[in-house]
Amino acid sequence: GAVVSQHPSRVICKSGTSVKIECRSLDFQATTMFWYRQFPKQSLMLMATSNEGSKATYEQGVEKDKFLINHASLTLSTLTVTSAHPEDSSFYICSASMGPEQPQHFGDGTRLSIL
Amino acid sequence: GNSVTQMEGPVTLSEEAFLTINCTYTATGYPSLFWYVQYPGEGLQLLLKATKADDKGSNKGFEATYRKETTSFHLEKGSVQVSDSAVYFCALSLYNQGGKLIFGQGTELSVKP
């Protein structure tokens, strides 16, 4: 149980394109979802926390207009990287939990490459 | 502030060797502690956890004990396998932080046959 599906797993696109990444909880209701960014050989950096039906809470230094997060239902959250540039290339990982104090279950990540 | 420090990798071991990956933490409250594992190109999987002092988490032959006196949560396994090769992350979460996880920098483990 507690499966999180993240899509797409890999995307390559041109600079200036907007890219949407989906995170779905398949067998549970995720009231809280988290979005992370991971650089090669480094740890995960929390970008934002989203609770269903409310605005995401962004970590310091993360541009909310650049990384748009929507958590419209209990099973789906999306991260849109707007007007992506090469420096946005990274591995993005989502996680979902049944509540703020419940364990997080991670998706398999999305490898984003901006040319 | 709250932080997690892990021993630097990569750690290279022969199959059936004993594994220890050190993890220490700094926290303003009473954290829950976790070990996650990440296989190449994948997300993270929860390996084990402990929610209070002296708790021992265990799974798939791995174990770690929550030591409040030394603020540590070292990961151990008695006999590693090639399939254990991955990156291991120690993490903490605090009750009043909405479930946010604070990760260590990760330790890469490579097990040779």
Side-chain angles (χ1 to χ4, degrees):
Chain A
V3 177
V4 174
S5 173
Q6 191 172 337
H7 179 79
S9 57
R10 178 182 289 271
V11 59
I12 301 172
C13 58
K14 294 181 179 179
S15 186
T17 307
S18 291
V19 178
K20 180 184 284 188
I21 302 169
E22 292 187 348
C23 181
R24 294 181 184 272
S25 56
L26 298 185
D27 52 1
F28 67 99
Q29 293 189 327
T31 58
T32 307
M33 287 188 170
F34 302 84
W35 286 95
Y36 297 86
R37 184 172 179 176
Q38 185 180 30
F39 291 101
K41 305 283 188 184
Q42 295 188 27
S43 189
L44 279 71
M45 180 191 79
L46 179 65
M47 299 174 67
T49 304
S50 74
N51 292 296
E52 186 266 337
S54 60
K55 287 185 179 179
T57 302
Y58 289 80
E59 294 299 301
Q60 193 172 12
V62 178
E63 299 176 61
K64 57 183 68 175
D65 294 330
K66 174 74 169 177
F67 299 99
L68 301 179
I69 291 171
N70 183 279
H71 191 169
S73 78
L74 285 171
T75 59
L76 174 65
S77 176
T78 61
L79 167 67
T80 301
V81 183
T82 61
S83 187
H85 289 94
E87 59 266 27
D88 299 322
S89 298
S90 193
F91 193 55
Y92 293 87
I93 304 176
C94 74
S95 71
S97 72
M98 286 175 260
E101 308 302 339
Q102 298 298 312
Q104 292 183 34
H105 304 281
F106 286 79
D108 280 343
T110 297
R111 173 76 58 198
L112 175 62
S113 300
I114 308 298
L115 305 178
Chain B
N2 304 306
S3 65
V4 176
T5 302
Q6 292 178 232
M7 64 187 285
E8 284 195 28
V11 173
T12 303
L13 296 173
S14 297
E15 207 165 20
E16 300 184 3
F18 184 86
L19 168 71
T20 300
I21 300 178
N22 290 339
C23 171
T24 57
Y25 67 89
T26 303
T28 52
Y30 298 99
S32 294
L33 301 173
F34 306 83
W35 277 101
Y36 284 86
V37 58
Q38 184 179 33
Y39 297 99
E42 297 184 11
L44 273 66
Q45 299 174 28
L46 178 63
L47 183 58
L48 53 85
K49 67 176 183 178
T51 58
K52 61 183 189 298
D54 299 325
D55 268 2
K56 177 186 281 189
S58 61
N59 184 27
K60 299 180 182 179
F62 291 90
E63 57 182 38
T65 301
Y66 189 143
R67 301 283 188 203
K68 186 180 172 186
E69 63 276 11
T70 54
T71 62
S72 65
F73 192 55
H74 304 323
L75 181 68
E76 296 182 338
K77 186 175 186 183
S79 175
V80 293
Q81 305 300 312
V82 172
S83 57
D84 293 326
S85 298
V87 180
Y88 292 81
F89 291 94
C90 186
L92 69 82
S93 72
L94 287 165
Y95 183 76
N96 62 351
Q97 297 283 310
K100 282 187 198 179
L101 285 170
I102 296 171
F103 287 92
Q105 69 270 39
T107 302
E108 182 179 359
L109 170 66
S110 177
V111 180
K112 306 296 184 187

